[in-house]
Amino acid sequence: MITNTDYDVLVIGAGPAGENVADIAQRGGLRTAVIERELVGGECSYWACMPSKALLRPGEALRALERVPGARAASTGDIDLGAALRRRDSLAARWDDSGQVGWLESVGVDLIRGHGRLAGVRLVDVEDADGAVTRYEAGHAVVIATGTGAAIPPVPGLSESGIWNNRQATTADEVPGRLLVVGGGVVGVELGQAWHDFGAHVTIVEMMPTLLPREEPFAGRALAAALEQRGIVVHTDAELRSVDKNGNAFTGTLADGTTLEADEVLVAVGRRPLTGDVGLEHVGFEPGSYIEVDDHLLATGVEGDWLYAVGDANGRALLTHTGKYQARIAGAHLSGRPSRAWSDVTATPRVVFTDPHVAAVGYTEQAARAAGLDVHTIRYDLGHVAGAAALGQGVGGPSQLVIDARRQVIVGATFVGPGAGELLHAATIAIVGEVPLSVLWHATPAFPTLSEIWLRFLEAYRDEHGAVF
């Protein structure tokens, strides 16, 4: 077998993390290629972030209009499904990656089409569509950036063909009459709301006590109340025992005997690393597992410091923007610049694009206490600031800061409300920059904006804890 030695860095996976680490490495003077078996741009571009937000936006815009007296009368209350789906297709580039390929070319990164597998130290075998295999040897390093796929829990019936995961749910062209959503995390609540807005009767089943179980419980409860008010049926603390297919319909059975009828079933219970067939056995890792890395994004326990893993494949934070952050860190380290990742584990921003948004960054209260911090929390409803009233009726939701009382800095923040995701970056900056509350007191929010909640938070903290600013 002839080995190609043209490249310093080989990146397996051309999603957002893979593209970005390749770009940074190439800019650092390393000849770089990415290996991709599907579409350049990855899950986010074609089957997750972009199409899901396109599906969510029509309903969000309609409700924003209906909240404003005077503008409400301009609404017909109907969504043009065809136009909405055409917009989705446009934002997903109609599942054509030529634009992303052109970007790779513009930054000097080569694309190798095929399935990449580690074959040894800095060795990658690439199998093309015809089954032919070419071996490549990286002169410097290999980066795994293969992302994650939908996890399927061991519930009888859920592995049947015809069950939706995020890919089917973001690309469907027909509205199901009844949609059963298994899992009340981000994917489940977003896509459940989107298809409800298009006319489906949606039921969400979540085994934990609240929706969005990784976020603050009050946020999950507030979201459930909003969805239920809109007509979505929500079962929390509910275990799905089985799913049976009857012709073109499904019957889900809960642990308490409740049966749920559906025309489609969306499984949205989490993600699994797509590392089962990338040759991890050749470097001492378990195939199908997350790749443990250090803060340089180097795979731990691999001699010679030649193997990196960025994005979902390492399990640190399964989000597009954190994968791109890790890519910037790894790319800099590959290029010989001292660089360590840390904010992806201490200040990860998260936005659930339901209506209302649930936006959070850093620690939840429970996680902060588990980390041994002396925690103070301040909660304030976004609807109590003048900016919310100016935006429309019913704009608001419970929001909270988690404060390290010893250092007097914010370590976590959660906002619930329409459009609340746009408040998040200020909190992210405050956490990453460790800005003291006494300094934030001088950051005057414009009136009347939603950002006035920052002043209200600080006033509440002053009044509750006797702080002097």
Side-chain angles (χ1 to χ4, degrees), residues 14-51:
E19 288 178 311
N20 277 269
V21 74
D23 177 32
I24 301 295
Q26 182 76 22
R27 290 174 187 272
L30 298 170
R31 183 76 175 127
T32 304
V34 293
I35 302 159
E36 177 55 57
R37 64 185 179 88
E38 289 191 303
L39 296 178
V40 175
E43 196 81 4
C44 180
S45 297
Y46 307 104
W47 302 288
C49 314
M50 297 309 294

PDB file of all heavy atoms in Angstrom, residues 14-51:
ATOM      1  N   ALA A  14     -15.603  16.877   8.918  1.00  0.00           N
ATOM      2  CA  ALA A  14     -15.624  18.251   8.420  1.00  0.00           C
ATOM      3  C   ALA A  14     -16.867  18.998   8.879  1.00  0.00           C
ATOM      4  O   ALA A  14     -17.451  19.774   8.142  1.00  0.00           O
ATOM      5  CB  ALA A  14     -15.539  18.275   6.893  1.00  0.00           C
ATOM      6  N   GLY A  15     -17.275  18.747  10.131  1.00  0.00           N
ATOM      7  CA  GLY A  15     -18.299  19.583  10.737  1.00  0.00           C
ATOM      8  C   GLY A  15     -17.692  20.888  11.200  1.00  0.00           C
ATOM      9  O   GLY A  15     -16.537  21.206  10.877  1.00  0.00           O
ATOM     10  N   PRO A  16     -18.435  21.693  11.970  1.00  0.00           N
ATOM     11  CA  PRO A  16     -17.918  22.999  12.399  1.00  0.00           C
ATOM     12  C   PRO A  16     -16.573  22.915  13.126  1.00  0.00           C
ATOM     13  O   PRO A  16     -15.684  23.726  12.876  1.00  0.00           O
ATOM     14  CB  PRO A  16     -19.017  23.524  13.315  1.00  0.00           C
ATOM     15  CG  PRO A  16     -20.261  22.875  12.819  1.00  0.00           C
ATOM     16  CD  PRO A  16     -19.843  21.501  12.377  1.00  0.00           C
ATOM     17  N   ALA A  17     -16.418  21.928  14.014  1.00  0.00           N
ATOM     18  CA  ALA A  17     -15.153  21.810  14.744  1.00  0.00           C
ATOM     19  C   ALA A  17     -14.022  21.415  13.803  1.00  0.00           C
ATOM     20  O   ALA A  17     -12.928  21.985  13.842  1.00  0.00           O
ATOM     21  CB  ALA A  17     -15.285  20.801  15.878  1.00  0.00           C
ATOM     22  N   GLY A  18     -14.283  20.434  12.949  1.00  0.00           N
ATOM     23  CA  GLY A  18     -13.247  19.990  12.024  1.00  0.00           C
ATOM     24  C   GLY A  18     -12.832  21.061  11.043  1.00  0.00           C
ATOM     25  O   GLY A  18     -11.632  21.251  10.772  1.00  0.00           O
ATOM     26  N   GLU A  19     -13.796  21.776  10.479  1.00  0.00           N
ATOM     27  CA  GLU A  19     -13.484  22.864   9.548  1.00  0.00           C
ATOM     28  C   GLU A  19     -12.599  23.912  10.210  1.00  0.00           C
ATOM     29  O   GLU A  19     -11.629  24.398   9.617  1.00  0.00           O
ATOM     30  CB  GLU A  19     -14.778  23.536   9.084  1.00  0.00           C
ATOM     31  CG  GLU A  19     -15.629  22.740   8.140  1.00  0.00           C
ATOM     32  CD  GLU A  19     -16.897  23.486   7.785  1.00  0.00           C
ATOM     33  OE1 GLU A  19     -17.585  23.973   8.705  1.00  0.00           O
ATOM     34  OE2 GLU A  19     -17.193  23.604   6.583  1.00  0.00           O
ATOM     35  N   ASN A  20     -12.962  24.277  11.432  1.00  0.00           N
ATOM     36  CA  ASN A  20     -12.249  25.365  12.100  1.00  0.00           C
ATOM     37  C   ASN A  20     -10.850  24.976  12.537  1.00  0.00           C
ATOM     38  O   ASN A  20      -9.925  25.784  12.425  1.00  0.00           O
ATOM     39  CB  ASN A  20     -13.073  25.878  13.278  1.00  0.00           C
ATOM     40  CG  ASN A  20     -14.128  26.875  12.859  1.00  0.00           C
ATOM     41  OD1 ASN A  20     -13.889  28.070  12.834  1.00  0.00           O
ATOM     42  ND2 ASN A  20     -15.307  26.383  12.503  1.00  0.00           N
ATOM     43  N   VAL A  21     -10.673  23.759  13.031  1.00  0.00           N
ATOM     44  CA  VAL A  21      -9.319  23.365  13.424  1.00  0.00           C
ATOM     45  C   VAL A  21      -8.435  23.268  12.185  1.00  0.00           C
ATOM     46  O   VAL A  21      -7.243  23.633  12.221  1.00  0.00           O
ATOM     47  CB  VAL A  21      -9.331  22.049  14.239  1.00  0.00           C
ATOM     48  CG1 VAL A  21      -9.598  20.841  13.371  1.00  0.00           C
ATOM     49  CG2 VAL A  21      -8.016  21.876  14.988  1.00  0.00           C
ATOM     50  N   ALA A  22      -9.004  22.830  11.072  1.00  0.00           N
ATOM     51  CA  ALA A  22      -8.226  22.768   9.829  1.00  0.00           C
ATOM     52  C   ALA A  22      -7.819  24.165   9.375  1.00  0.00           C
ATOM     53  O   ALA A  22      -6.670  24.387   8.942  1.00  0.00           O
ATOM     54  CB  ALA A  22      -9.045  22.077   8.747  1.00  0.00           C
ATOM     55  N   ASP A  23      -8.730  25.099   9.459  1.00  0.00           N
ATOM     56  CA  ASP A  23      -8.440  26.483   9.069  1.00  0.00           C
ATOM     57  C   ASP A  23      -7.317  27.072   9.916  1.00  0.00           C
ATOM     58  O   ASP A  23      -6.359  27.660   9.388  1.00  0.00           O
ATOM     59  CB  ASP A  23      -9.712  27.310   9.215  1.00  0.00           C
ATOM     60  CG  ASP A  23      -9.514  28.788   8.893  1.00  0.00           C
ATOM     61  OD1 ASP A  23      -8.672  29.093   8.019  1.00  0.00           O
ATOM     62  OD2 ASP A  23     -10.188  29.633   9.513  1.00  0.00           O
ATOM     63  N   ILE A  24      -7.416  26.910  11.238  1.00  0.00           N
ATOM     64  CA  ILE A  24      -6.396  27.480  12.137  1.00  0.00           C
ATOM     65  C   ILE A  24      -5.038  26.818  11.909  1.00  0.00           C
ATOM     66  O   ILE A  24      -3.997  27.482  11.880  1.00  0.00           O
ATOM     67  CB  ILE A  24      -6.823  27.326  13.611  1.00  0.00           C
ATOM     68  CG1 ILE A  24      -8.152  28.028  13.871  1.00  0.00           C
ATOM     69  CG2 ILE A  24      -5.744  27.873  14.535  1.00  0.00           C
ATOM     70  CD1 ILE A  24      -8.145  29.519  13.713  1.00  0.00           C
ATOM     71  N   ALA A  25      -5.044  25.497  11.745  1.00  0.00           N
ATOM     72  CA  ALA A  25      -3.773  24.792  11.500  1.00  0.00           C
ATOM     73  C   ALA A  25      -3.153  25.245  10.186  1.00  0.00           C
ATOM     74  O   ALA A  25      -1.933  25.475  10.107  1.00  0.00           O
ATOM     75  CB  ALA A  25      -4.014  23.287  11.493  1.00  0.00           C
ATOM     76  N   GLN A  26      -3.967  25.376   9.140  1.00  0.00           N
ATOM     77  CA  GLN A  26      -3.459  25.827   7.843  1.00  0.00           C
ATOM     78  C   GLN A  26      -2.888  27.236   7.951  1.00  0.00           C
ATOM     79  O   GLN A  26      -1.816  27.532   7.403  1.00  0.00           O
ATOM     80  CB  GLN A  26      -4.590  25.778   6.807  1.00  0.00           C
ATOM     81  CG  GLN A  26      -4.179  26.182   5.404  1.00  0.00           C
ATOM     82  CD  GLN A  26      -3.383  25.101   4.683  1.00  0.00           C
ATOM     83  OE1 GLN A  26      -3.466  23.924   5.031  1.00  0.00           O
ATOM     84  NE2 GLN A  26      -2.590  25.491   3.692  1.00  0.00           N
ATOM     85  N   ARG A  27      -3.596  28.106   8.682  1.00  0.00           N
ATOM     86  CA  ARG A  27      -3.107  29.472   8.874  1.00  0.00           C
ATOM     87  C   ARG A  27      -1.791  29.492   9.654  1.00  0.00           C
ATOM     88  O   ARG A  27      -0.990  30.426   9.508  1.00  0.00           O
ATOM     89  CB  ARG A  27      -4.139  30.319   9.616  1.00  0.00           C
ATOM     90  CG  ARG A  27      -5.387  30.636   8.800  1.00  0.00           C
ATOM     91  CD  ARG A  27      -6.439  31.350   9.650  1.00  0.00           C
ATOM     92  NE  ARG A  27      -7.686  31.512   8.930  1.00  0.00           N
ATOM     93  CZ  ARG A  27      -7.971  32.544   8.139  1.00  0.00           C
ATOM     94  NH1 ARG A  27      -7.079  33.513   7.993  1.00  0.00           N
ATOM     95  NH2 ARG A  27      -9.125  32.622   7.524  1.00  0.00           N
ATOM     96  N   GLY A  28      -1.588  28.465  10.476  1.00  0.00           N
ATOM     97  CA  GLY A  28      -0.352  28.365  11.247  1.00  0.00           C
ATOM     98  C   GLY A  28       0.803  27.766  10.467  1.00  0.00           C
ATOM     99  O   GLY A  28       1.867  27.488  11.045  1.00  0.00           O
ATOM    100  N   GLY A  29       0.593  27.543   9.175  1.00  0.00           N
ATOM    101  CA  GLY A  29       1.678  27.053   8.329  1.00  0.00           C
ATOM    102  C   GLY A  29       1.737  25.552   8.174  1.00  0.00           C
ATOM    103  O   GLY A  29       2.723  25.020   7.626  1.00  0.00           O
ATOM    104  N   LEU A  30       0.703  24.836   8.604  1.00  0.00           N
ATOM    105  CA  LEU A  30       0.677  23.383   8.500  1.00  0.00           C
ATOM    106  C   LEU A  30      -0.200  22.962   7.325  1.00  0.00           C
ATOM    107  O   LEU A  30      -1.349  23.385   7.220  1.00  0.00           O
ATOM    108  CB  LEU A  30       0.126  22.776   9.797  1.00  0.00           C
ATOM    109  CG  LEU A  30       0.954  23.064  11.060  1.00  0.00           C
ATOM    110  CD1 LEU A  30       0.194  22.619  12.301  1.00  0.00           C
ATOM    111  CD2 LEU A  30       2.306  22.358  10.988  1.00  0.00           C
ATOM    112  N   ARG A  31       0.319  22.147   6.458  1.00  0.00           N
ATOM    113  CA  ARG A  31      -0.448  21.669   5.303  1.00  0.00           C
ATOM    114  C   ARG A  31      -1.521  20.718   5.818  1.00  0.00           C
ATOM    115  O   ARG A  31      -1.231  19.690   6.426  1.00  0.00           O
ATOM    116  CB  ARG A  31       0.487  20.941   4.338  1.00  0.00           C
ATOM    117  CG  ARG A  31      -0.182  20.458   3.069  1.00  0.00           C
ATOM    118  CD  ARG A  31      -0.419  21.605   2.117  1.00  0.00           C
ATOM    119  NE  ARG A  31      -0.948  21.097   0.847  1.00  0.00           N
ATOM    120  CZ  ARG A  31      -2.058  21.544   0.275  1.00  0.00           C
ATOM    121  NH1 ARG A  31      -2.757  22.503   0.865  1.00  0.00           N
ATOM    122  NH2 ARG A  31      -2.460  21.069  -0.882  1.00  0.00           N
ATOM    123  N   THR A  32      -2.787  21.061   5.562  1.00  0.00           N
ATOM    124  CA  THR A  32      -3.891  20.382   6.242  1.00  0.00           C
ATOM    125  C   THR A  32      -4.944  19.893   5.258  1.00  0.00           C
ATOM    126  O   THR A  32      -5.247  20.552   4.265  1.00  0.00           O
ATOM    127  CB  THR A  32      -4.545  21.347   7.256  1.00  0.00           C
ATOM    128  OG1 THR A  32      -3.543  21.821   8.155  1.00  0.00           O
ATOM    129  CG2 THR A  32      -5.642  20.662   8.044  1.00  0.00           C
ATOM    130  N   ALA A  33      -5.514  18.729   5.573  1.00  0.00           N
ATOM    131  CA  ALA A  33      -6.643  18.187   4.817  1.00  0.00           C
ATOM    132  C   ALA A  33      -7.698  17.691   5.796  1.00  0.00           C
ATOM    133  O   ALA A  33      -7.375  17.226   6.896  1.00  0.00           O
ATOM    134  CB  ALA A  33      -6.210  17.038   3.911  1.00  0.00           C
ATOM    135  N   VAL A  34      -8.964  17.792   5.380  1.00  0.00           N
ATOM    136  CA  VAL A  34     -10.050  17.204   6.164  1.00  0.00           C
ATOM    137  C   VAL A  34     -10.649  16.044   5.390  1.00  0.00           C
ATOM    138  O   VAL A  34     -10.727  16.067   4.157  1.00  0.00           O
ATOM    139  CB  VAL A  34     -11.147  18.230   6.520  1.00  0.00           C
ATOM    140  CG1 VAL A  34     -10.614  19.278   7.480  1.00  0.00           C
ATOM    141  CG2 VAL A  34     -11.720  18.871   5.282  1.00  0.00           C
ATOM    142  N   ILE A  35     -11.075  15.044   6.138  1.00  0.00           N
ATOM    143  CA  ILE A  35     -11.637  13.821   5.574  1.00  0.00           C
ATOM    144  C   ILE A  35     -13.104  13.764   5.983  1.00  0.00           C
ATOM    145  O   ILE A  35     -13.424  13.853   7.178  1.00  0.00           O
ATOM    146  CB  ILE A  35     -10.882  12.591   6.110  1.00  0.00           C
ATOM    147  CG1 ILE A  35      -9.388  12.692   5.765  1.00  0.00           C
ATOM    148  CG2 ILE A  35     -11.485  11.300   5.575  1.00  0.00           C
ATOM    149  CD1 ILE A  35      -8.506  11.830   6.644  1.00  0.00           C
ATOM    150  N   GLU A  36     -14.000  13.646   5.026  1.00  0.00           N
ATOM    151  CA  GLU A  36     -15.428  13.665   5.339  1.00  0.00           C
ATOM    152  C   GLU A  36     -16.170  12.633   4.493  1.00  0.00           C
ATOM    153  O   GLU A  36     -16.014  12.582   3.272  1.00  0.00           O
ATOM    154  CB  GLU A  36     -16.011  15.054   5.094  1.00  0.00           C
ATOM    155  CG  GLU A  36     -17.503  15.172   5.331  1.00  0.00           C
ATOM    156  CD  GLU A  36     -17.927  14.708   6.712  1.00  0.00           C
ATOM    157  OE1 GLU A  36     -17.409  15.238   7.725  1.00  0.00           O
ATOM    158  OE2 GLU A  36     -18.776  13.793   6.782  1.00  0.00           O
ATOM    159  N   ARG A  37     -17.007  11.840   5.152  1.00  0.00           N
ATOM    160  CA  ARG A  37     -17.769  10.799   4.451  1.00  0.00           C
ATOM    161  C   ARG A  37     -19.166  11.257   4.074  1.00  0.00           C
ATOM    162  O   ARG A  37     -19.833  10.607   3.262  1.00  0.00           O
ATOM    163  CB  ARG A  37     -17.851   9.532   5.300  1.00  0.00           C
ATOM    164  CG  ARG A  37     -18.595   9.695   6.602  1.00  0.00           C
ATOM    165  CD  ARG A  37     -18.537   8.425   7.447  1.00  0.00           C
ATOM    166  NE  ARG A  37     -19.226   8.586   8.716  1.00  0.00           N
ATOM    167  CZ  ARG A  37     -20.530   8.351   8.893  1.00  0.00           C
ATOM    168  NH1 ARG A  37     -21.268   7.937   7.873  1.00  0.00           N
ATOM    169  NH2 ARG A  37     -21.080   8.515  10.079  1.00  0.00           N
ATOM    170  N   GLU A  38     -19.649  12.372   4.680  1.00  0.00           N
ATOM    171  CA  GLU A  38     -20.981  12.883   4.347  1.00  0.00           C
ATOM    172  C   GLU A  38     -20.850  14.289   3.769  1.00  0.00           C
ATOM    173  O   GLU A  38     -20.101  14.494   2.822  1.00  0.00           O
ATOM    174  CB  GLU A  38     -21.885  12.855   5.582  1.00  0.00           C
ATOM    175  CG  GLU A  38     -22.290  11.451   5.991  1.00  0.00           C
ATOM    176  CD  GLU A  38     -23.384  11.446   7.032  1.00  0.00           C
ATOM    177  OE1 GLU A  38     -23.203  12.057   8.108  1.00  0.00           O
ATOM    178  OE2 GLU A  38     -24.431  10.828   6.774  1.00  0.00           O
ATOM    179  N   LEU A  39     -21.574  15.253   4.350  1.00  0.00           N
ATOM    180  CA  LEU A  39     -21.555  16.612   3.834  1.00  0.00           C
ATOM    181  C   LEU A  39     -20.607  17.487   4.647  1.00  0.00           C
ATOM    182  O   LEU A  39     -20.620  17.453   5.883  1.00  0.00           O
ATOM    183  CB  LEU A  39     -22.960  17.222   3.888  1.00  0.00           C
ATOM    184  CG  LEU A  39     -24.031  16.552   3.023  1.00  0.00           C
ATOM    185  CD1 LEU A  39     -25.376  17.239   3.223  1.00  0.00           C
ATOM    186  CD2 LEU A  39     -23.637  16.570   1.560  1.00  0.00           C
ATOM    187  N   VAL A  40     -19.812  18.279   3.961  1.00  0.00           N
ATOM    188  CA  VAL A  40     -18.954  19.249   4.637  1.00  0.00           C
ATOM    189  C   VAL A  40     -19.857  20.293   5.294  1.00  0.00           C
ATOM    190  O   VAL A  40     -20.714  20.889   4.643  1.00  0.00           O
ATOM    191  CB  VAL A  40     -17.994  19.923   3.636  1.00  0.00           C
ATOM    192  CG1 VAL A  40     -17.184  21.016   4.332  1.00  0.00           C
ATOM    193  CG2 VAL A  40     -17.085  18.881   2.993  1.00  0.00           C
ATOM    194  N   GLY A  41     -19.659  20.491   6.580  1.00  0.00           N
ATOM    195  CA  GLY A  41     -20.530  21.364   7.360  1.00  0.00           C
ATOM    196  C   GLY A  41     -21.184  20.625   8.504  1.00  0.00           C
ATOM    197  O   GLY A  41     -21.570  21.221   9.503  1.00  0.00           O
ATOM    198  N   GLY A  42     -21.338  19.305   8.367  1.00  0.00           N
ATOM    199  CA  GLY A  42     -21.744  18.467   9.474  1.00  0.00           C
ATOM    200  C   GLY A  42     -23.204  18.573   9.896  1.00  0.00           C
ATOM    201  O   GLY A  42     -24.040  19.187   9.242  1.00  0.00           O
ATOM    202  N   GLU A  43     -23.487  17.947  11.020  1.00  0.00           N
ATOM    203  CA  GLU A  43     -24.852  17.823  11.541  1.00  0.00           C
ATOM    204  C   GLU A  43     -25.525  19.171  11.725  1.00  0.00           C
ATOM    205  O   GLU A  43     -26.687  19.359  11.383  1.00  0.00           O
ATOM    206  CB  GLU A  43     -24.802  17.068  12.879  1.00  0.00           C
ATOM    207  CG  GLU A  43     -26.122  16.528  13.346  1.00  0.00           C
ATOM    208  CD  GLU A  43     -26.492  15.213  12.677  1.00  0.00           C
ATOM    209  OE1 GLU A  43     -25.691  14.678  11.900  1.00  0.00           O
ATOM    210  OE2 GLU A  43     -27.604  14.721  12.949  1.00  0.00           O
ATOM    211  N   CYS A  44     -24.799  20.124  12.273  1.00  0.00           N
ATOM    212  CA  CYS A  44     -25.388  21.426  12.589  1.00  0.00           C
ATOM    213  C   CYS A  44     -25.942  22.111  11.343  1.00  0.00           C
ATOM    214  O   CYS A  44     -27.037  22.673  11.364  1.00  0.00           O
ATOM    215  CB  CYS A  44     -24.351  22.318  13.262  1.00  0.00           C
ATOM    216  SG  CYS A  44     -24.947  23.960  13.693  1.00  0.00           S
ATOM    217  N   SER A  45     -25.207  22.073  10.275  1.00  0.00           N
ATOM    218  CA  SER A  45     -25.593  22.804   9.074  1.00  0.00           C
ATOM    219  C   SER A  45     -26.808  22.210   8.387  1.00  0.00           C
ATOM    220  O   SER A  45     -27.621  22.948   7.814  1.00  0.00           O
ATOM    221  CB  SER A  45     -24.426  22.823   8.077  1.00  0.00           C
ATOM    222  OG  SER A  45     -23.323  23.516   8.606  1.00  0.00           O
ATOM    223  N   TYR A  46     -26.981  20.882   8.437  1.00  0.00           N
ATOM    224  CA  TYR A  46     -27.960  20.233   7.578  1.00  0.00           C
ATOM    225  C   TYR A  46     -29.084  19.518   8.322  1.00  0.00           C
ATOM    226  O   TYR A  46     -30.172  19.339   7.764  1.00  0.00           O
ATOM    227  CB  TYR A  46     -27.261  19.225   6.662  1.00  0.00           C
ATOM    228  CG  TYR A  46     -26.117  19.840   5.885  1.00  0.00           C
ATOM    229  CD1 TYR A  46     -24.790  19.604   6.244  1.00  0.00           C
ATOM    230  CD2 TYR A  46     -26.368  20.694   4.819  1.00  0.00           C
ATOM    231  CE1 TYR A  46     -23.743  20.181   5.548  1.00  0.00           C
ATOM    232  CE2 TYR A  46     -25.321  21.271   4.119  1.00  0.00           C
ATOM    233  CZ  TYR A  46     -24.013  21.013   4.490  1.00  0.00           C
ATOM    234  OH  TYR A  46     -22.977  21.600   3.806  1.00  0.00           O
ATOM    235  N   TRP A  47     -28.850  19.096   9.563  1.00  0.00           N
ATOM    236  CA  TRP A  47     -29.852  18.269  10.252  1.00  0.00           C
ATOM    237  C   TRP A  47     -30.095  18.704  11.700  1.00  0.00           C
ATOM    238  O   TRP A  47     -30.772  17.992  12.434  1.00  0.00           O
ATOM    239  CB  TRP A  47     -29.396  16.805  10.245  1.00  0.00           C
ATOM    240  CG  TRP A  47     -29.180  16.269   8.868  1.00  0.00           C
ATOM    241  CD1 TRP A  47     -30.145  15.967   7.945  1.00  0.00           C
ATOM    242  CD2 TRP A  47     -27.919  15.972   8.246  1.00  0.00           C
ATOM    243  NE1 TRP A  47     -29.578  15.504   6.795  1.00  0.00           N
ATOM    244  CE2 TRP A  47     -28.205  15.487   6.936  1.00  0.00           C
ATOM    245  CE3 TRP A  47     -26.591  16.056   8.659  1.00  0.00           C
ATOM    246  CZ2 TRP A  47     -27.206  15.098   6.056  1.00  0.00           C
ATOM    247  CZ3 TRP A  47     -25.596  15.667   7.774  1.00  0.00           C
ATOM    248  CH2 TRP A  47     -25.899  15.203   6.496  1.00  0.00           C
ATOM    249  N   ALA A  48     -29.567  19.836  12.108  1.00  0.00           N
ATOM    250  CA  ALA A  48     -29.726  20.236  13.514  1.00  0.00           C
ATOM    251  C   ALA A  48     -29.919  21.747  13.616  1.00  0.00           C
ATOM    252  O   ALA A  48     -31.001  22.253  13.360  1.00  0.00           O
ATOM    253  CB  ALA A  48     -28.533  19.750  14.338  1.00  0.00           C
ATOM    254  N   CYS A  49     -28.869  22.467  13.977  1.00  0.00           N
ATOM    255  CA  CYS A  49     -28.985  23.890  14.317  1.00  0.00           C
ATOM    256  C   CYS A  49     -29.743  24.700  13.278  1.00  0.00           C
ATOM    257  O   CYS A  49     -30.731  25.375  13.592  1.00  0.00           O
ATOM    258  CB  CYS A  49     -27.606  24.514  14.497  1.00  0.00           C
ATOM    259  SG  CYS A  49     -26.453  23.562  15.481  1.00  0.00           S
ATOM    260  N   MET A  50     -29.293  24.673  12.049  1.00  0.00           N
ATOM    261  CA  MET A  50     -29.847  25.579  11.042  1.00  0.00           C
ATOM    262  C   MET A  50     -31.274  25.210  10.625  1.00  0.00           C
ATOM    263  O   MET A  50     -32.167  26.056  10.676  1.00  0.00           O
ATOM    264  CB  MET A  50     -28.906  25.673   9.842  1.00  0.00           C
ATOM    265  CG  MET A  50     -27.536  26.271  10.186  1.00  0.00           C
ATOM    266  SD  MET A  50     -27.657  27.845  11.086  1.00  0.00           S
ATOM    267  CE  MET A  50     -28.397  28.895   9.834  1.00  0.00           C
ATOM    268  N   PRO A  51     -31.551  23.975  10.212  1.00  0.00           N
ATOM    269  CA  PRO A  51     -32.938  23.689   9.840  1.00  0.00           C
ATOM    270  C   PRO A  51     -33.910  23.765  11.004  1.00  0.00           C
ATOM    271  O   PRO A  51     -35.065  24.176  10.832  1.00  0.00           O
ATOM    272  CB  PRO A  51     -32.869  22.275   9.258  1.00  0.00           C
ATOM    273  CG  PRO A  51     -31.604  21.688   9.797  1.00  0.00           C
ATOM    274  CD  PRO A  51     -30.663  22.831   9.946  1.00  0.00           C
TER     275      PRO A  51
END
